[in-house]
Amino acid sequence: MGTLSVDELVGRDEWESVIETRRRPFVVYKFAATLDGRIAAEDGTSQWITSAESRAEVHLLRAGCDATVVGSGTQRADNPNLAVRGSDDPRLDLSIVDNPERQPLRVVIDSNARTPRDANVCNDAAPTLIVVAEDADASHLDGVAEVLRVRRADRGLDLHDVLARLLARGVRGVFLEGGPTLAGSFIARGLVDRVVNYVAPALLGSGKSGLQDAGIRSMSDILRLELVDVARSGSDVRLVARPVRR
């Protein structure tokens, strides 16, 4: 496995520039996929595509940012906990694991407030913020999670507003864990600053793609990335890259 530090993995030395020029947190997008770009099989199963080492390193990435963000589709499909959990990786500060006050903020982008009150992200392992539309009925979340209301956009919620509101709360680095629809929305709006991709030496041939509708309709619109680092991660390859800004 590559030995980049936590700060190097999440591009911390680039955070300040993005915050000052774009008035939003730095966004790190992570996804794990097969060689043919699939993050789940045709029947929806996805455990596990990548190695135990890669999955453990995800907790390091979460710990390196101030908030972990997922969409409502990922919440409903996987019911993730999103809290940082312990591993044998010496780069992980284990004092974060058992202290909810030091855990990164868990954020679910959920336009229509479909996150159930018994979802894993609503437990007491870490603080949680459910971001919903201004007109959504989120009364079922009273007492179990904080709710943030933002305006709708032509596609989901206004992500610029979401990020601005997170920055106002002191969130300087965001770890975007998906899913592919939310990631596509972030990329379509130019809101991703770093990509961390774990690629497993496996093929599925069908199933869910790692990225959906990123607003790219032709090769002239392709988003090119600059490789920052390539390393082994267990049996996988980990690529770290940054978008080439035009």
Side-chain angles (χ1 to χ4, degrees):
M1 182 181 292
T3 55
L4 292 182
S5 69
V6 181
D7 287 352
E8 289 171 325
L9 278 171
V10 301
R12 189 175 288 270
D13 62 344
E14 300 173 27
W15 287 18
E16 197 61 39
S17 174
V18 168
I19 291 169
E20 289 183 358
T21 60
R22 299 179 183 270
R23 299 291 185 258
R24 62 166 176 81
F26 188 88
V27 177
V28 181
Y29 168 46
K30 184 279 300 181
F31 71 105
T34 59
L35 279 172
D36 56 339
R38 308 292 177 175
I39 63 170
E42 189 172 344
D43 65 358
T45 56
S46 60
Q47 298 181 354
W48 296 104
I49 287 175
T50 51
S51 66
E53 292 88 345
S54 296
R55 299 196 303 274
E57 192 169 77
V58 170
H59 292 281
L60 194 72
L61 292 166
R62 288 178 184 171
C65 294
D66 301 317
T68 298
V69 175
V70 299
S72 57
T74 294
Q75 190 288 311
R76 293 196 302 273
D78 300 337
N79 193 21
N81 183 292
L82 299 183
V84 177
R85 297 192 296 276
S87 74
D88 295 329
D89 192 320
R91 295 171 294 173
L92 180 62
D93 181 358
L94 292 177
S95 66
I96 295 174
V97 176
D98 298 320
N99 186 350
E101 293 183 359
R102 295 198 59 202
Q103 285 271 355
L105 179 67
R106 300 178 293 188
V107 181
V108 180
I109 308 296
D110 185 5
S111 303
N112 298 308
R114 294 175 178 170
T115 302
R117 60 181 295 113
D118 61 351
N120 286 335
V121 292
C122 294
N123 64 24
D124 59 2
T128 300
L129 182 69
I130 312 294
V131 184
V132 306
E134 293 173 328
D135 59 348
D137 180 4
S139 57
H140 64 288
L141 295 171
D142 290 348
V144 297
E146 183 180 356
V147 172
L148 173 66
R149 295 186 178 277
V150 301
R151 56 183 176 267
R152 290 186 185 270
D154 56 347
R155 176 179 167 187
L157 298 178
D158 184 336
L159 295 178
H160 291 277
D161 189 23
V162 172
L163 290 177
R165 303 278 284 278
L166 288 176
L167 182 63
R169 298 170 64 101
V171 172
R172 298 167 58 81
V174 164
F175 183 46
L176 176 62
E177 285 204 49
T181 301
L182 182 62
S185 294
F186 267 79
I187 288 175
R189 290 162 172 78
L191 298 175
V192 169
D193 306 295
R194 175 163 291 223
V195 177
V196 181
N197 180 204
Y198 295 90
V199 182
L203 299 170
L204 279 171
S206 64
K208 187 180 293 186
S209 171
L211 186 65
Q212 295 180 2
D213 194 3
I216 299 168
R217 303 289 178 246
S218 71
M219 286 301 296
S220 62
D221 298 326
I222 192 170
L223 177 61
R224 297 288 182 182
L225 304 177
E226 174 192 358
L227 279 174
V228 174
D229 185 72
V230 180
R232 289 288 297 266
S233 177
S235 59
D236 311 317
V237 174
R238 183 195 68 214
L239 300 102
V240 181
R242 64 169 68 92
V244 177
R245 305 291 187 191
R246 296 182 182 180

